[in-house]
Amino acid sequence: QKEVEQDPGPLSVPEGAIVSLNCTYSNSAFQYFMWYRQYSRKGPELLMYTYSSGNKEDGRFTAQVDKSSKYISLFIRDSQPSDSATYLCAMRGFYNQGGKLIFGQGTELSVKP
Amino acid sequence: DTEVTQTPKHLVMGMTNKKSLKCEQHMGHRAMYWYKQKAKKPPELMFVYSYEKLSINESVPSRFSPECPNSSLLNLHLHALQPEDSALYLCASSQDSPSGRAGEQYFGPGTRLTVT
């Protein structure tokens, strides 16, 4: 079993839809949770960074962490064609030498005009 | 500014060539990373430098040789690569502390390497 599970998709939605992306994990030591967006043939771009459980909002993006269920989500409101990309969840422990990240497999999202 | 720069953007090299990838950041970060990414896969950690010292080597073959000349620069020297080493090579950086409580990790745009 992988430490972090993420549905690879592809996920296709119409423009304006609310998108829900999710990851589950098995290691209860994970404390920091990240979402990255990666366009084709580009480097990952950090979207959200959260510590422990709770919600964080930034514009159209909301990240949720539920440590009791070992489940994290990223919601995208009013999705746009420019949101079409691969979304990677990543996480790490509190005292983690060098900040090694454990990634999910990535979910490919397509937003249709 | 959260920019990590990488050069070159693209590199084609033969199996007998020697080349280097370069990475630079000016965010004052003291941890720098090299990742390898294959198509439709997540980034795979290769090396971590913390305060200019190699702290993690994920059992990477010796044909990849990292170097951290100073706190802003990271190099990856390549020699006698194989076609299966063709991939996107990503550099990243983050804050670090002696206790290892690294902050957010920011990635560069990557170097697309093709080995012929």
Side-chain angles (χ1 to χ4, degrees), chain B residues 5-7 9 15 20-21 23 39-40 43 46 51-52 54-55 63 65 67 72 80 85 88 94 111:
Chain B
T5 59
Q6 290 187 244
T7 56
K9 286 188 170 55
M15 289 190 283
S20 297
L21 309 184
C23 173
K40 297 194 182 297
M46 300 174 72
Y51 288 81
E52 295 94 70
L54 184 65
S55 61
R63 57 186 184 268
S65 175
E67 179 196 19
S72 301
D85 296 322
L88 182 68
S94 69
T111 293

Side-chain angles (χ1 to χ4, degrees), chain B residues 37-51:
Chain B
Q37 188 178 27
K38 296 283 233 181
K40 297 194 182 297
K41 296 289 187 185
E44 185 182 329
L45 184 66
M46 300 174 72
F47 302 103
V48 181
Y49 273 84
S50 177
Y51 288 81

Side-chain angles (χ1 to χ4, degrees), chain A residues 36 38 41 92 96 98-100, chain B residues 33 37 58 100 102 105 112:
Chain A
Y36 288 89
Q38 187 172 23
R41 306 175 81 83
R92 63 175 177 85
N96 197 354
K100 180 177 177 178
Chain B
Y33 311 77
Q37 188 178 27
E58 293 286 287
Q105 208 168 112
R112 186 155 298 279

